[in-house]
Amino acid sequence: MDNRPMAQAASVNVPQPIRSDGAGATDFGPRDVMRDIENPDMLVPPVTDAGLIPNLKFSFSDAHMQLNHGGWSREVTARELPIATTLAGVNMRLTPGGVRELHWHQQAEWAYMLLGRARITSVDQEGRNFIADVGPGDLWYFPAGLPHSIQGLEEGCEFLLVFDDGNFSDLNTLSISDWFAHTPKDVLSANFGVPESAFSHIPSEQVYIFQDNIPGSLESQTVQSPYGTIPQSFKHQLFAQTPIKTPGGSVRIVDSSNFPISKTIAAALVELEPGAMRELHWHPNNDEWQYYLTGQGRMTVFAGNGTARTFDYRAGDVGYVPFANGHYIQNTGNQTLWFLEMFKSDRFVDISLNQWMALTPRDLVRDNLHVGPELLDALRKEKWPVVKYPTA
Ligand code: CO
Ligand code: CO
């Protein structure tokens, strides 16, 4: 019997790395056909792609799963996606009553609630506290260094955390259980003014996530601080905002102009209908970290000097665009594509290719690109972040 691994037979359903002009050749394997089907623009790049742009995609499905009683987490950091140095993301689930324990870190924490509800708590340097419930589409922001916690309510929850440092790991934070475990008991006794026996059952290591009872109502958990509550809310209801609506979808922008505490992270939540696209643009402030929420799309990143690379994305993927690189995102599926664009910045800013051309002398644009009135007449002085034209 022949035990050698056998090449796969070509099948009509299996995509092949062959372009319509005949360039390329069949691939009989070994190969991961499911991945090739998910990444048609990797298997057969557009002819306009060229050069050596580094990887700009990582799926949370390829990340390590941290499983605990009470929930799970997985993260996409610069360890997984080396180019992503500005921001890191964590996808976390908490069961009903599940707790991300009391902890703090050197980085600011921005979050988007995907589904379910949670109770968040924090205390600032003035002794003021913040306790609030967050639901789907709500954001929170904990400034760097401030202690906080997250607990799933009746229905549990799942959310995205974003930190303003690509090398941050949520598994490597400063946590209350870890500190207790690594402080001599006589010191704990002296600090709190109680006998050492009060600490005989403390956890021996970092807890991270644990299962607790579902907390009572917000009112029942109120703690009155003599210094009052934190004046600048750590919570923001993104869907209470009026979106920018254009043919093809919508955009909701949130940064320190409408969520004042969010000093280091700016974001846009983009909705693209089938057939619509996020217009050709770039950002003059920082790299873009993307999280795909629903649907599927594709993006080509143009890095100058004749280089461009196209990637396909779907729900659960992280995308990245280096500072000032040109890009667009097309909805390539038949359902609505929702994604988040995020920046390590206090403001969301972008430059529209269309608007730039519309506000530049017409003769200059014409002679630079050798284009006629058909295009020049169609240029728009207003910015349309999302577009969908009947001719597209
Ligand atoms: Co945190
Ligand atoms: Co962008």
Side-chain angles (χ1 to χ4, degrees):
M1 186 177 163
D2 190 346
N3 286 323
R4 290 175 301 176
M6 299 301 287
Q8 297 163 5
S11 153
V12 286
N13 296 320
V14 174
Q16 296 296 342
I18 302 173
R19 204 173 269 138
S20 54
D21 67 357
T26 47
D27 179 0
F28 293 117
R31 62 185 290 198
D32 187 334
V33 174
M34 294 304 291
R35 291 243 160 168
D36 289 339
I37 289 170
E38 285 190 356
N39 297 290
D41 292 292
M42 193 87 77
L43 189 70
V44 184
V47 291
T48 45
D49 275 16
L52 302 170
I53 290 178
N55 181 44
L56 301 174
K57 172 185 175 176
F58 199 91
S59 175
F60 271 107
S61 294
D62 289 325
H64 166 71
M65 260 289 187
Q66 171 68 33
L67 304 180
N68 288 67
H69 293 285
W72 52 253
S73 79
R74 50 186 174 178
E75 59 188 14
V76 175
T77 72
R79 187 180 58 229
E80 286 75 22
L81 184 59
I83 198 168
T85 54
T86 57
L87 301 174
V90 173
N91 177 206
M92 188 178 292
R93 167 108 169 103
L94 294 173
T95 59
V99 177
R100 172 69 179 94
E101 75 163 311
L102 293 160
H103 72 282
W104 71 107
H105 28 78
Q106 295 173 329
Q107 295 76 11
E109 171 177 324
W110 183 103
Y112 177 86
M113 184 58 84
L114 296 162
L115 60 92
R117 291 169 66 246
R119 180 157 305 155
I120 55 175
T121 76
S122 186
V123 172
D124 75 2
Q125 61 276 11
E126 311 293 337
R128 301 173 297 198
N129 61 1
F130 183 83
I131 307 173
D133 289 351
V134 286
D138 289 348
L139 313 180
W140 70 78
Y141 183 93
F142 296 130
L146 294 195
H148 53 275
S149 68
I150 312 160
Q151 182 171 23
L153 297 177
E154 288 80 0
E155 60 274 69
C157 59
E158 184 177 341
F159 47 87
L160 174 76
L161 301 174
V162 178
F163 301 90
D164 59 1
D165 175 359
N167 287 296
F168 173 84
S169 173
D170 195 53
L171 295 166
N172 189 25
T173 62
L174 297 137
S175 57
I176 195 168
S177 59
D178 201 13
W179 200 10
F180 267 62
H182 294 281
T183 303
K185 291 230 170 68
D186 64 303
V187 173
L188 291 173
S189 170
N191 188 70
F192 293 103
V194 295
E196 284 186 35
S197 59
F199 307 100
S200 51
H201 300 297
I202 60 170
S204 58
E205 58 183 6
Q206 179 184 198
V207 168
Y208 189 58
I209 290 172
F210 67 98
Q211 184 62 56
D212 198 0
N213 298 316
I214 295 167
S217 67
L218 195 56
E219 297 69 38
S220 75
Q221 289 212 316
T222 300
V223 180
Q224 293 290 345
S225 166
Y227 309 102
T229 58
I230 289 173
Q232 235 175 21
S233 182
F234 288 176
K235 169 186 171 180
H236 180 78
Q237 293 185 289
L238 189 55
F239 281 84
Q241 280 181 222
T242 306
I244 301 163
K245 277 198 174 284
T246 60
S250 69
V251 181
R252 288 171 175 82
I253 293 168
V254 57
D255 60 20
S256 63
S257 68
N258 53 1
F259 184 21
I261 195 72
S262 190
K263 294 278 197 307
T264 62
I265 294 186
L269 175 67
V270 181
E271 172 193 16
L272 294 181
E273 294 166 9
M277 67 182 278
R278 175 81 171 90
E279 67 163 350
L280 290 160
H281 70 281
W282 73 91
H283 305 272
N285 56 338
N286 212 338
D287 300 2
E288 173 173 337
W289 194 97
Q290 303 165 342
Y291 179 65
Y292 289 83
L293 295 154
T294 67
Q296 61 183 68
R298 76 167 191 168
M299 170 169 75
T300 302
V301 172
F302 166 65
N305 199 26
T307 60
R309 193 170 169 196
T310 305
F311 295 85
D312 302 288
Y313 299 92
R314 56 183 56 221
D317 288 346
V318 172
Y320 204 77
V321 184
F323 172 43
N325 284 8
H327 55 287
Y328 68 88
I329 295 152
Q330 262 177 334
N331 183 343
T332 52
N334 49 25
Q335 63 165 304
T336 303
L337 171 64
W338 285 90
F339 69 96
L340 281 163
E341 304 176 4
M342 317 212 46
F343 306 85
K344 183 175 179 175
S345 178
D346 63 335
R347 287 297 163 99
F348 176 90
V349 285
D350 64 355
I351 305 273
S352 156
L353 172 66
N354 192 330
Q355 186 180 46
W356 173 38
M357 292 166 64
L359 299 175
T360 298
R362 187 180 165 101
D363 294 352
L364 178 57
V365 175
R366 181 195 62 211
D367 298 344
N368 196 152
L369 286 172
H370 306 159
V371 291
E374 187 184 21
L375 172 65
L376 297 168
D377 293 345
L379 294 174
R380 266 193 339 266
K381 292 175 180 166
E382 306 77 31
K383 195 186 291 181
W384 278 15
V386 172
V387 294
K388 184 179 181 180
Y389 295 108
T391 52

